[in-house]
Amino acid sequence: MEEFGYVSYYQVLKASDYNIPQDRERIFVVSILKKVPNAESFTFPEKTKPKWTLKQFIDKTVAFDDPRVQLKEAEEKLLFKLPDGTLAVREGTKKGYKEIEDWNIVNLAFPGSQTRRGRVGICCKTITTGPRQAVYYGGKIRMLTAKEYMRFMGYRDVDYKKMSDAGITDDQICTLAGNSICVPVLEALFKQLASYDIIPKPEDTYEKKARKNSKK
């Protein structure tokens, strides 16, 4: 890119640092033409102070007996109760398992793996194109829905509804979510670029154009 007159920056950004409870790390590369003002002064956006918790991303209207959220037989075999009644999931660690608490996310992908670790957390694990993650609350566990996966990528429920109404299946929506970019991370990048006047601020583009059109 440098040969073409660009200055490039790269950094690993994590979704959970931008107010989305998902442990999603992705490398972002920003290339700016050197002739653009402030091109060589750019820095990546600071982390955002979290104001949402995982609990707020969960759709409490989903019934635990809904066919869409049932665990597969192999996934159920990963779970067991400790003597005190605590639910646990098998892991490839020295201890061999991890306790599950209310409002924990449990990654049940690759149930046959003998080395899988980090299955339990307070954040959604990285959403893949074939996610198999469950949430535990109220003494019950269920799989996450396509709508919830979209929420964990920063999309609104209306976005899920539009996709569903267009005939896109929940499985397809999950795949799209896994292939997507976490919206708040991308927003933070654009806001940072605008703060350096590298790209126009929204109020200098769409809002001005709208005001101009309204006066016609």
Side-chain angles (χ1 to χ4, degrees):
M1 294 298 290
E2 187 174 359
E3 294 179 2
F4 294 98
Y6 287 83
V7 57
S8 296
Y9 305 85
Y10 66 91
Q11 188 167 312
V12 174
L13 301 181
K14 193 172 183 180
S16 58
D17 289 331
Y18 296 91
N19 205 28
I20 287 288
Q22 182 191 171
D23 290 328
R24 186 186 191 87
E25 290 184 331
R26 291 292 183 270
I27 187 166
F28 287 82
V29 180
V30 177
S31 296
I32 309 165
L33 278 172
K34 292 181 180 179
K35 65 181 181 181
V36 173
N38 302 317
E40 302 200 35
S41 303
F42 176 77
T43 60
F44 280 88
E46 295 291 327
K47 297 177 182 180
T48 303
K49 185 177 180 181
K51 59 181 180 179
W52 307 112
T53 64
L54 182 142
K55 183 178 180 180
Q56 292 164 302
F57 283 70
I58 300 302
D59 184 357
K60 286 76 168 185
T61 66
V62 176
F64 282 89
D65 60 356
D66 188 320
R68 299 174 302 164
V69 297
Q70 300 308 301
L71 278 63
K72 297 177 181 178
E73 184 179 351
E75 294 167 343
E76 290 180 341
K77 289 180 179 179
L78 283 173
L79 306 171
F80 66 99
K81 290 285 187 70
L82 295 174
D84 65 357
T86 301
L87 186 66
V89 62
R90 302 184 194 284
E91 285 187 333
T93 60
K94 185 176 181 180
K95 186 177 179 181
Y97 65 89
K98 177 69 176 178
E99 299 88 346
I100 304 171
E101 299 178 355
D102 254 12
W103 303 109
N104 275 174
I105 291 289
V106 187
N107 187 359
L108 297 173
F110 306 105
S113 172
Q114 301 297 313
T115 58
R116 193 80 169 177
R117 301 185 179 193
R119 287 192 180 276
V120 181
I122 58 173
C123 282
C124 182
K125 303 300 179 181
T126 299
I127 296 172
T128 64
T129 55
R132 295 299 297 172
Q133 300 193 45
V135 60
Y136 179 71
Y137 61 96
K140 298 180 181 180
I141 190 167
R142 66 166 176 82
M143 303 305 293
L144 294 176
T145 65
K147 181 194 288 187
E148 289 166 329
Y149 285 125
M150 290 292 285
R151 289 179 177 181
F152 282 115
M153 291 302 296
Y155 291 93
R156 303 168 300 168
D157 287 356
V158 66
D159 298 317
Y160 166 79
K161 186 176 186 306
K162 287 178 179 178
M163 296 171 76
S164 184
D165 289 346
I168 303 175
T169 67
D170 277 4
D171 284 345
Q172 291 171 325
I173 291 173
C174 288
T175 298
L176 292 170
N179 273 329
S180 185
I181 299 174
C182 196
V183 174
V185 179
L186 201 57
E187 286 179 339
L189 275 173
F190 284 137
K191 287 179 181 177
Q192 187 77 341
L193 286 163
S195 73
Y196 279 87
D197 292 322
I198 293 171
I199 63 173
K201 295 180 175 63
E203 59 268 25
D204 293 332
T205 54
Y206 303 108
E207 291 184 12
K208 278 188 176 180
K209 186 177 180 180
R211 288 198 296 270
K212 183 178 179 180
N213 290 337
S214 66
K215 292 179 181 179
K216 290 181 180 180

